[in-house]
Amino acid sequence: MEAAHSPWRPPLIWRVALLLARVVVGMLARLEVTGDIPARLRDGPLILAANHISPFDPIVLAAACRARRVAPRIMATGGLFRAPLIGTAMRSAGHIRVDRGTSGVHRALDDAAAAVGAGAPILVYPEGRIGLDPGMWPERGKTGAARLALACGAPVIPVAQWGSHEVLPYSAPRGMLRGIARALRHRPTVRVHFGDPVDLAEVPRAVPGAARLATDRIIDALTDTLAPLRPDEPDRPRHVDPSRPVDTTRAHRRRPAAG
């Protein structure tokens, strides 16, 4: 029998940050949030899996999550936690440090599993980095999010976003002021859509390759959720960021479902 748990209560600093994120995004862009999280899932355990296209993504997703009345704990790169002020705020808000490329990454999955098991919603970027696909479609994911979902049995909701790359360049903080000035003048539209839960029920947990199969299903769902947000940009983005490199070695072969 599973132990009962109380919904995770986000610290005050995180609740304030969610509000500030909405203000910041409103100054720099027109935010459109569509889709929703079923009420039975909103308080967790829950995994939100988002595509990653810009350094501005965390602020956009925080604003969108506030609009949908969810305050997830974020799995974020260790570099943020090492920054003097941001690191303190991240720890105080209850976010989870991920030291990619080190043995500490396993500790991050353990911490995330404990958080999900305690009833917290978690936000992850299954690609593991800002995607470098030339068309800015989701690239082949890392298996961490899938392993977390399979181990905890938590539902996974794809969260697709489009437009944040028009606010901050890939190279930020280099070029950040120029990007902000441009956004203040033009206020690009930033769209976020909460999709339907990803069906992982038929993924066999105990066989080799289960995590890769589940990862591919999550990335497929993200791709299909993203497609309606960029109907006029099916192949390449209109806004080209010259600071953003291109890498096709992690291309995900799926393209959005027709219709």
Side-chain angles (χ1 to χ4, degrees):
M1 181 175 180
E2 295 183 356
H5 59 73
S6 300
W8 181 65
R9 295 183 59 84
L12 176 61
I13 188 173
W14 185 215
R15 299 198 303 271
V16 171
L18 290 168
L19 176 60
L20 289 177
R22 184 64 187 92
V23 172
V24 170
V25 174
M27 291 173 57
L28 299 176
R30 300 175 179 89
L31 179 64
E32 296 179 0
V33 182
T34 53
D36 206 348
I37 299 172
R40 70 183 187 281
L41 303 180
R42 190 171 293 123
D43 292 327
L46 173 67
I47 299 171
L48 301 175
N51 63 319
H52 203 356
I53 59 174
S54 164
F56 196 53
D57 293 349
I59 301 176
V60 167
L61 290 170
C65 284
R66 185 179 186 276
R68 288 300 178 261
R69 305 176 305 284
V70 62
R73 298 177 67 176
I74 299 175
M75 296 188 71
T77 179
L80 290 175
F81 288 82
R82 290 190 291 271
L85 295 178
I86 295 177
T88 300
M90 293 288 287
R91 286 187 291 272
S92 299
H95 300 314
I96 298 169
R97 175 173 177 163
V98 182
D99 290 305
R100 296 190 183 98
T102 73
S103 59
V105 72
H106 300 292
R107 184 168 60 251
L109 285 176
D110 290 341
D111 291 343
V116 171
I122 297 287
L123 174 67
V124 300
Y125 297 108
E127 295 165 277
R129 66 176 184 179
I130 294 176
L132 301 180
D133 177 81
M136 294 185 69
W137 289 101
E139 62 184 13
R140 181 164 49 88
K142 300 290 187 179
T143 59
R147 294 205 307 271
L148 179 62
L150 294 176
C152 300
V156 179
I157 288 184
V159 185
Q161 57 179 330
W162 187 248
S164 63
H165 60 295
E166 297 188 40
V167 179
L168 288 185
Y170 176 89
S171 61
R174 183 167 55 85
M176 183 173 67
L177 293 180
R178 185 167 58 253
I180 289 175
R182 180 184 181 279
L184 286 170
R185 289 196 307 272
H186 301 289
R187 294 191 69 235
T189 298
V190 174
R191 300 181 176 92
V192 179
H193 183 73
F194 291 81
D196 296 328
V198 183
D199 184 7
L200 299 179
E202 296 181 2
V203 176
R205 265 61 170 174
V207 302
R212 171 48 55 193
L213 176 59
T215 298
D216 289 345
R217 289 196 179 187
I218 291 170
I219 299 296
D220 285 348
L222 260 178
T223 300
D224 290 340
T225 304
L226 174 62
L229 303 186
R230 47 179 295 184
D232 300 326
E233 304 171 80
D235 298 315
R236 294 289 190 272
R238 251 192 325 267
H239 175 77
V240 177
D241 176 5
S243 74
R244 181 177 175 272
V246 170
D247 179 6
T248 61
T249 62
R250 285 178 52 186
H252 184 70
R253 300 305 174 189
R254 169 74 166 248
R255 281 296 176 257

